Amino acid sequence: MRPAYQGQRRAARRTEASDLTGADVAMTKLDDISVMIGRMEAEVSGLRRDFQAAELRSVDHRSAVHRRMDGIIEDLGEVKADVSATAEKIEAVKDDVAEMKPVTDEVKRWKLMGIGALGVVGIGGASIGYAFQQPIDWLLKLFAKQ
């Protein structure tokens, strides 16, 4: 309450109290005290309700946070399982590649040997073709003159 308003109320009470007898004044004071106690009880009850509502909201919020944390923990467990399974697969692939490498190197060597053999066969074929062409040309010239 504002101080000016309180002062006005006190003055009004004094004026009312001056018209009253001692017993009436005592009853008026008891009535005022009673009203003030009632207001205080109402305020305390209101505060209690507010605290209970706040506690319920905080309980709900904490339970929501715990649910989210549980979900995150489950997801993390799944990710860990996936990572370990992937690591095992990678190790298996490494082993397979290690086994395949000698075979691949052997195939590359065969390919190079085949290319070399084709080159030799090509050169040899060209040489043999040229060697057979000369006598055939000579024979054709011989028969063409006759």
Side-chain angles (χ1 to χ4, degrees):
M1 293 184 176
R2 295 183 312 191
Y5 180 71
Q6 287 176 353
Q8 291 171 355
R9 283 185 60 195
R10 285 185 194 137
R13 283 189 197 148
R14 276 190 227 125
T15 306
E16 290 172 2
S18 63
D19 295 339
L20 301 174
T21 64
D24 290 335
V25 171
M27 285 302 285
T28 304
K29 287 184 180 180
L30 285 176
D31 288 344
D32 289 344
I33 292 172
S34 229
V35 168
M36 290 172 60
I37 289 173
R39 286 181 187 160
M40 288 173 49
E41 285 178 346
E43 287 293 321
V44 168
S45 295
L47 288 172
R48 184 176 293 134
R49 279 192 308 270
D50 291 346
F51 282 131
Q52 287 173 345
E55 182 63 27
L56 288 175
R57 283 192 305 268
S58 67
V59 165
D60 291 342
H61 179 46
R62 282 193 299 267
S63 67
V65 168
H66 284 291
R67 279 194 302 273
R68 281 187 261 156
M69 287 296 291
D70 291 342
I72 290 171
I73 289 170
E74 287 176 14
D75 292 345
L76 182 61
E78 291 173 8
V79 167
K80 278 179 135 181
D82 289 346
V83 166
S84 64
T86 303
E88 290 173 4
K89 289 178 183 177
I90 289 173
E91 287 301 320
V93 168
K94 281 183 181 178
D95 293 341
D96 290 345
V97 168
E99 290 175 12
M100 287 186 236
K101 186 163 177 32
V103 174
T104 306
D105 291 344
E106 184 76 18
V107 169
K108 285 180 184 177
R109 192 174 63 80
W110 291 346
K111 180 180 173 183
L112 290 174
M113 287 172 50
I115 290 172
L118 284 175
V120 170
V121 168
I123 292 172
S127 299
I128 291 173
Y130 182 74
F132 281 119
Q133 179 202 359
Q134 291 300 322
I136 291 174
D137 280 345
W138 181 75
L139 285 175
L140 286 175
K141 285 180 189 178
L142 183 65
F143 289 117
K145 288 184 185 179
Q146 295 185 358

